[in-house]
Amino acid sequence: MQEILEKVDQLKKEIQDTSLSTSEELEKYRIRFLGTKGLVKELMSEMKNVSKEMKKDFGAKLNEFKIFAETKYEEYKGVSSTDKESANEAIDYSLPGFPSETGSRHPIQLVMNKMISIFEKIGFTVTEGPEIEDDWHNFNALNLPENHPARDMQDTFYISKNPDWLLRTHTSSVQVRVMKEGKLPLRQIFPGRVYRNETVSARAHCFFHQIEGLYIDEKVSFADLKQTLYYFVKEMFGADVKVRFRPSYFPFTEPSAEMDVSCFICASKGCTVCKHTGWVEILGCGMVHPNVLTNCGIDAEKYAGFAWGMGVERTAMMQYGITDIRVLSENDTRFLDQFKNVV
Ligand code: DAH
């Protein structure tokens, strides 16, 4: 009995000397003194061994100890929660939050969007066609004879033979689809992806993007073609960039030309982009061949038209100083993240 009372005094002293500054210390204290297997409970269980006469005094002493232990706990619990409150007060709610990560537009899409908006300003509308085409839309209707080298298995990805299904090699196939619908006059552009069976390298890829244009009406001339493309170049590359047309050959146009712009990377002084010529080829164009009009059900005596097809990759590479075409299709986020917030 005496022993227990001494132990109570000892524990009281221990409680007095205990400092409770962290929530872990507080919890440890709670378990040691006030928990279901704690010292207060343990001492209370001694009551049954105490004689009747002593019970009152003993009980009072233990009760006092219990209250003492609980008070200390409550006191410190209060302090630690006020600590939390004051810590909360230190948070500046006016600070901006963490922004959520957003994606970025792909450089090819950025350049295409710019090209499209330039043509839209002068009345061209956008139409898309299928990437999987048949032989007739991709070749025959465009006046490409059966033995034309562009039809060679080496250049074209065939999906099946007889019937021939292939991945379109150019967006010119969309010209055919639109002309076949028979609504004239026609003033449209056809952006999209095209495929060629080429060895992938820093300068060439087996798929890339083109924007095709088609204008058909009565009395359309080569002068209209030139003015349309001059306007485009000025809007796209700036007023200082020079333009030149070179005679060329495409089965679906007559006459045909290729258009170069003066290299704005080196100001025509000569660099790797222009292969030291000062000029960069950006598109093929020409007056729509009468055979093509006829193949698509258009009266070639009454109507004439011009068309062009331009690559997007080369322009994007020039615009952003990209030297390897492959980075445009690898989806490496270290590359793509550089275009964040570019619109
Ligand atoms: N289809 C041609 C190519 O992929 C580009 C082209 C040239 C398109 C002349 C045209 C055109 O519409 O008139 O190389």
Side-chain angles (χ1 to χ4, degrees), residues 297-313:
I298 293 173
D299 181 353
E301 295 291 327
K302 190 173 171 204
Y303 287 97
F306 65 81
W308 76 87
M310 59 181 147
V312 180
E313 268 73 0

Side-chain angles (χ1 to χ4, degrees), residues 3-16:
E3 243 171 65
I4 295 172
L5 289 177
E6 266 167 30
K7 193 175 177 190
V8 167
D9 284 341
Q10 206 186 312
L11 288 172
K12 251 179 152 176
K13 200 160 175 323
E14 186 190 323
I15 290 173
Q16 242 159 13

Side-chain angles (χ1 to χ4, degrees), residues 182-195:
K183 289 190 205 109
L184 294 173
L186 248 170
R187 189 164 46 179
Q188 297 193 12
I189 50 172
F190 320 121
R193 186 179 276 190
V194 301
Y195 302 82

Side-chain angles (χ1 to χ4, degrees), residues 169-170 172 175 196 210 212-213 250 252-253 284-286 307-309:
T169 59
H170 51 188
S172 305
Q175 284 190 34
R196 289 194 200 162
Q210 291 185 330
E212 188 89 10
F250 298 103
F252 31 90
T253 43
C285 60
W308 76 87

Side-chain angles (χ1 to χ4, degrees), residues 99-324:
S100 51
E101 287 279 312
T102 54
S104 56
R105 287 203 169 82
H106 194 280
I108 291 295
Q109 199 61 53
L110 289 169
V111 170
M112 270 183 142
N113 289 350
K114 186 169 176 195
M115 289 174 166
I116 290 168
S117 74
I118 292 170
F119 287 112
E120 277 179 337
K121 272 192 222 145
I122 51 169
F124 283 82
T125 56
V126 178
T127 301
E128 288 184 37
E131 290 182 16
I132 296 176
E133 266 297 4
D134 56 63
D135 200 69
W136 191 79
H137 286 89
N138 196 80
F139 293 130
N140 285 54
L142 288 164
N143 202 30
L144 267 126
E146 292 290 332
N147 53 357
H148 194 278
R151 302 187 60 145
D152 198 297
M153 286 290 282
Q154 274 185 349
D155 295 322
T156 309
F157 284 118
Y158 279 92
I159 291 169
S160 71
K161 274 280 185 193
N162 234 345
D164 286 350
W165 286 104
L166 48 87
L167 295 178
R168 68 179 177 196
T169 59
H170 51 188
T171 42
S172 305
S173 55
V174 193
Q175 284 190 34
V176 178
R177 293 193 168 268
V178 169
M179 283 190 275
K180 284 282 285 174
E181 279 175 18
K183 289 190 205 109
L184 294 173
L186 248 170
R187 189 164 46 179
Q188 297 193 12
I189 50 172
F190 320 121
R193 186 179 276 190
V194 301
Y195 302 82
R196 289 194 200 162
N197 196 354
E198 280 183 39
T199 311
V200 176
S201 70
R203 292 182 66 89
H205 212 291
C206 59
F207 63 82
F208 49 96
H209 298 78
Q210 291 185 330
I211 294 190
E212 188 89 10
L214 181 65
Y215 190 116
I216 297 185
D217 203 347
E218 294 175 40
K219 302 190 184 80
V220 177
S221 73
F222 202 89
D224 298 318
L225 162 63
K226 285 177 89 173
Q227 287 308 321
T228 303
L229 295 177
Y230 281 151
Y231 156 80
F232 167 75
V233 168
K234 224 197 251 167
E235 294 287 310
M236 187 74 201
F237 304 110
D240 297 337
V241 171
K242 291 191 201 65
V243 177
R244 77 175 183 190
F245 284 87
R246 280 179 292 104
S248 186
Y249 170 77
F250 298 103
F252 31 90
T253 43
E254 182 57 39
S256 304
E258 278 170 303
M259 194 179 89
D260 301 339
V261 293
S262 55
C263 184
F264 56 81
I265 299 290
C266 62
S268 294
K269 287 192 183 76
C271 67
T272 51
V273 173
C274 62
K275 293 192 217 135
H276 301 280
T277 63
W279 294 96
V280 181
E281 182 209 315
I282 63 160
L283 58 85
C285 60
M287 301 305 290
V288 180
H289 198 292
N291 288 354
V292 175
L293 293 174
T294 310
N295 289 343
C296 298
I298 293 173
D299 181 353
E301 295 291 327
K302 190 173 171 204
Y303 287 97
F306 65 81
W308 76 87
M310 59 181 147
V312 180
E313 268 73 0
R314 187 172 301 168
T315 301
M317 288 169 78
M318 282 203 286
Q319 200 102 30
Y320 297 115
I322 297 166
T323 50
D324 189 328

